[in-house]
Amino acid sequence: MTSALATFALPGGTWPADDIVILRNRPLRAGTDKAALSRFGDMIWHIRSAHPDAHLNITPLIWSHYPPLFHLPFKTFFLAALDHPYPGSPITVQRGGERAGVATFRYWFMDLQVFAEWLVEAGISRLCDVTEQHLDAYRAYVLALQRKPGRKIDMLAAVRTLWLYGPHLPDEGRLATGYPWPRASDDELKSPAGGRDNKTPRIAPVTMTALLAWALHIIEVVGPDVRDAWVEHQQLRAGTHPSQAELDGLPTGERIQRYIARCRREGTPLPGHRMEDGQRAINFSAIQRMIQTTTGISLTPNQKRTLQDSGLPIAEDTYIGQITGAIDGRPWRDMPIAVSELRNLIRMVAAAAFVVICYLSGARPGEVLNLRPGCRATDEETGELLIVGRRGKGYDRASLPAAGADAEVSPEQRPWVVVTPVHDAIAMLESFGDYAFLFPASFTNAHTKRPNDFNARQVESVTRDLEDFVAWVNSTFGRPGADVPIPPDPTKHLHASRFRRTLAYFIVRLPRGLVAAALQYAHVHTKVTLSYAGWDDSSWMDDIQLETLELVLEQNEQDARLLESGEHISGPAADEYRHRVRTRARFAGRVVTAGRSVDRLLEQTDPNIHHGEAMTCVWRRETAACRKARLEAGLPAEDGPNEAECWLSCSNLVYTDRNIVVQRRLQQQWERAAADQLSPRPRRDRAAALAERSRTIIEAHQARPIPTTSTTKER
């Protein structure tokens, strides 16, 4: 397609020709039919082909909504916005070649429609006739509307954008005024303060933990059975199932006889369904599918009578596949899967896979929904597991190559560091069939308006899937009198955008809880945390910093309150602990609107006190025994405590009453292990030594601080 502007002459300038392809200068998604692209003269402009996200349904621009008088000038403006980057603004920094995303056009279209209708009411027939007084009158009109302040700001900003594109418009189609409202107050034309706050609520830990656990269960246990049933169903429909091979070339009557004989031999009932009166009836359509009768020809009455007189029992439904997965040693269901259940069960397995992939990668929902088969990869240098997709933000994003393309990282793609369960979930989705996306618009019956080869599942649909998944798990696997398997979240309904914030919470608050998966699968490199949400994603680290700040403030408040109420502190760093807690405890609160504000507050409020299991570290790098041990071993030093390498002799240690409660529990556990005569002696000796260590810590806490001169390197 050419980039040259085809024109025809009109008084006052030139206008685009009707046959110009509107997306001529935009990258298009793989699979776009270029012959069907909208043209300038069309009354409906379809622009979704230029949006890289396959999960979004981009609304077309319907020009019949605009006053006919202004079709041509506003069409020309939108064509210029499709063709050219943002022009420089007199009051803001230029955007360096950034072009408006086509999703933005929907909002510009609605906002400028208000302006066009106002112009008609004001008796103005050409944009070039608009004066400064007209613009002031329009601003007063917009500010008086009963709409939210943000919407009013957008409506006025759209007119400014129309003015900025003036150099690309004919004289008759541009605003001939100066830059609109250059001296307007900040309150009228700038976004309200605090608009950048991350208000996405976290998922409650008890809900998220259960949701992830059951998602992993479903993928491992239920997924293979559902997948095998779906594959078998597809083979039966296509005539490629192994059981149909012996029927090739046979007339329908003989096929029926062989089918009846096989059912008797294998003890299989005839497929059935429930009638309105509660009786069972043979599902003849299913039998036609199984024996592959001539397409479009139903069984004759005599053939149906043969099946009815066969004496074979009739099942309650049409079952397919086998149940092989087990939960708690029992099959996850008593009956095989019915064909009528397949659609919903596939949706539940896909929802479980979405939870695992989206949560354990930290990717945005749209980034996950746009993943294609073959996205699994491995870092050749570190051996870390990766998924390769496309970044979810940025004006210059391009759509991914078509399915089956090489998964090597290109400038348009980004990798996420993940753990084995994520790769397992992807493998499960890939095994359901040959789809263009891991999460196609529908696995079973995609709508013709959103075909699977061009569209992924929408976020709104995934939200419904998550709610249905929780309800299905609770109803299927719940037990009478017991708590539901997945407790409800007390804040609000589950939705996909909450996963990233929740992941940040678990990494900061409960690192040994969330990263247990990473530890189990040997992905313990620092890069795992930094790359959960993709490389170069600053917003992810903002979430981490914000969660860290909230943790520090809550910890400071709790430590100060317990210290004032008489909590006893022992250990070599006890005095430093008291000093840091008392000097950092007070925090009156402050509005945080940017990542830098979080960093500054963290520096001001963080006492660098780290509560571990049965011990507390008042971190000071110069005296940290764990850091010295790593340096002596030739390992890279860490700028923070490493609980796995903590030394009893470290002068940074203190013990609170909370730590001692845990120490007593550990002491009892080690004493029981030391007394177990069935255990090998080396294990009993080690348990006895650990029990003695806990006893020493407890006695020292009750009597006096642990001496700082100890040179014994106990671990």
Side-chain angles (χ1 to χ4, degrees), residues 345-357:
L345 287 176
I346 292 173
R347 196 165 61 94
M348 295 301 97
V349 174
F354 182 86
V355 171
V356 172
I357 298 170

Side-chain angles (χ1 to χ4, degrees), residues 375-386:
C375 63
R376 289 176 291 169
T378 303
D379 191 303
E380 295 181 358
E381 296 182 1
T382 66
E384 292 169 329
L385 301 182
L386 306 173

Side-chain angles (χ1 to χ4, degrees), residues 88-110:
S89 168
I91 62 174
T92 59
V93 179
Q94 296 190 26
R95 305 194 187 191
E98 180 176 344
R99 291 200 290 180
V102 294
T104 305
F105 283 30
R106 171 192 175 190
Y107 303 101
W108 286 357
F109 193 80
M110 293 187 298

Side-chain angles (χ1 to χ4, degrees), residues 663-676 683-684 686-694:
Q663 285 288 353
R664 287 196 178 96
R665 184 172 68 249
L666 292 176
Q667 178 189 353
Q668 294 170 359
Q669 293 175 358
W670 292 126
E671 287 176 346
R672 287 195 296 270
D676 183 5
R683 295 187 62 180
R684 283 185 286 155
R686 178 177 180 273
L690 292 172
E692 179 61 28
R693 186 183 71 173
S694 293

Side-chain angles (χ1 to χ4, degrees), residues 330 473-485:
R330 299 179 55 187
V473 168
N474 288 342
S475 62
T476 304
F477 302 102
R479 297 290 179 264
D483 294 336
V484 293

Side-chain angles (χ1 to χ4, degrees), residues 23-44:
L23 298 179
R24 56 191 179 162
N25 289 326
R26 290 277 178 157
L28 303 176
R29 293 224 313 262
T32 298
D33 182 4
K34 295 183 179 180
L37 293 174
S38 297
R39 298 179 180 273
F40 183 84
D42 296 342
M43 289 300 291
I44 298 179

